[in-house]
Amino acid sequence: MTISIKSPEDQSRMRVAGRLTADVLDMIGEYVRPGITTAELDRICHDYIVNEQQAIPAPLDYRGFPKSICTSVNHVVCHGIPGDRSLRHGDIVNIDVTVIKDDFHGDSSRMFGVGKPTVSGQRISQIAYDAMLLGIEQVKPGGHLGDIGHSIQTYAEAHKCSIVREYCGHGIGRVFHEDPQVLHYGRPGTGIELREGMTFTIEPMINNGKRNVRLLPDGWTVITKDRSLSAQWEHTVLVTANGHEVLTLGKQDRETRNQG
Ligand code: MF3
Ligand code: CO
Ligand code: CO
């Protein structure tokens, strides 16, 4: 396993890619309404990334993926392919954006409620968000990957939700998915030790029911086997000398957290 350490120059380029990724998610929010199709969301993001940002949507043609973003609705866990399905009142949808700028990747996803959220949709989205934040809080030099997984798992399971195990966070930089794998479950003090200059994602997928998943015949779409709701949030994180920096904070979070 080779984990790349980003130089200060690489880190500033990661910061730019991360900011652009967050800008796409900030931009698309107002379009997530009943009646819009996920293919329309994809087209709006694609055009914004290519024309406004002069950047590259990393998912497009990645291992044959046909679209520029992933859209995962309700019981879809991840890697949903944008298509003709219109969003309906009460749906929850994860939009996952990965942007390449100046050779470096930013990767982030958020949950959006369509119209007025249902109680269960709101709840699972909030638990996934809080779980991701708890994982991020563990990131500091000298900490271990297992600290991240453990805090996420403990929190989600305390709320009677389950963690998907087949998919995980990942190192990121010049390469979309690089070492290390960032598991969303685990034991404190295990796994590799974190070092300043590492960059990776934290992206827990949390199910309302059982953790088991199924891959649809399209080869991409992952759903919960029991069709329970699933939620996911993702940030790209840099290990700094004193702790961490979240590279994909949206405008609102940058203002309240005073970063950037
Ligand atoms: N953005 C996803 C991740 O968080 C990966 C999507 S791969 C794709 O790692 F091909 F489905 F786009
Ligand atoms: Co990712
Ligand atoms: Co992603």
Side-chain angles (χ1 to χ4, degrees):
M1 177 156 72
T2 21
I3 298 176
S4 66
I5 296 295
K6 276 71 182 182
S7 66
E9 163 68 20
D10 296 343
Q11 292 175 22
S12 21
R13 289 158 74 179
M14 285 294 291
R15 226 169 255 124
V16 172
R19 171 68 66 93
L20 293 177
T21 302
D23 287 347
V24 176
L25 288 164
D26 284 344
M27 177 278 300
I28 199 64
E30 65 175 287
Y31 294 97
V32 181
R33 294 165 154 273
I36 195 162
T37 66
T38 50
E40 287 168 320
L41 295 174
D42 173 73
R43 189 191 52 78
I44 296 165
C45 289
H46 175 93
D47 291 352
Y48 185 81
I49 293 165
V50 170
N51 300 326
E52 308 274 325
Q53 299 185 327
Q54 271 100 46
I56 299 167
L60 187 59
D61 295 328
Y62 177 80
R63 300 187 185 179
F65 192 78
K67 295 288 183 178
S68 297
I69 60 172
C70 297
T71 51
S72 302
V73 181
N74 295 339
H75 64 284
V76 178
V77 172
C78 63
H79 304 164
I81 303 174
D84 308 337
R85 185 198 189 287
S86 293
L87 294 178
R88 288 189 278 267
H89 197 91
D91 284 343
I92 54 171
V93 55
N94 172 279
I95 299 183
D96 193 337
V97 172
T98 312
V99 164
I100 309 171
K101 182 71 171 183
D102 196 14
D103 295 334
F104 282 83
H105 290 71
D107 190 8
S108 183
S109 79
R110 299 182 198 162
M111 297 302 297
F112 296 86
V114 181
K116 186 171 176 278
T118 63
V119 171
S120 57
Q122 177 70 41
R123 177 175 181 274
I124 193 73
S125 299
Q126 185 70 46
I127 291 169
Y129 181 76
D130 292 338
M132 173 192 66
L133 279 194
L134 284 170
I136 291 172
E137 277 174 23
Q138 306 303 314
V139 177
K140 52 176 175 294
H144 291 259
L145 278 182
D147 305 344
I148 300 170
H150 181 257
S151 62
I152 292 170
Q153 180 179 16
T154 306
Y155 182 79
E157 291 178 355
H159 288 80
K160 300 274 180 264
C161 296
S162 61
I163 311 274
V164 172
R165 304 212 177 196
E166 287 82 352
Y167 303 88
C168 57
H170 49 92
I172 184 168
R174 294 175 184 274
V175 176
F176 190 168
H177 295 107
E178 60 183 37
D179 287 334
Q181 293 199 58
V182 181
L183 303 182
H184 302 117
Y185 57 92
R187 300 173 60 80
T190 65
I192 59 133
E193 187 177 321
L194 304 181
R195 276 184 53 196
E196 183 181 354
M198 289 179 179
T199 48
F200 51 83
T201 71
I202 299 179
E203 48 180 304
M205 284 140 275
I206 311 277
N207 299 347
N208 221 356
K210 296 213 169 72
R211 70 176 178 85
N212 310 73
V213 299
R214 185 159 89 80
L215 181 64
L216 292 189
D218 64 23
W220 284 104
T221 309
V222 179
I223 65 168
T224 54
K225 236 181 198 158
D226 62 8
R227 303 293 199 277
S228 64
L229 287 179
S230 186
Q232 176 179 32
W233 291 76
E234 174 177 27
H235 271 311
T236 299
V237 179
L238 164 71
V239 184
T240 61
N242 303 317
H244 59 265
E245 181 181 335
V246 180
L247 301 179
T248 44
L249 288 179
K251 186 162 190 296
Q252 250 184 2
D253 285 343
R254 291 196 301 270
E255 281 157 9
T256 53
R257 294 173 62 138
N258 235 357
Q259 289 189 22

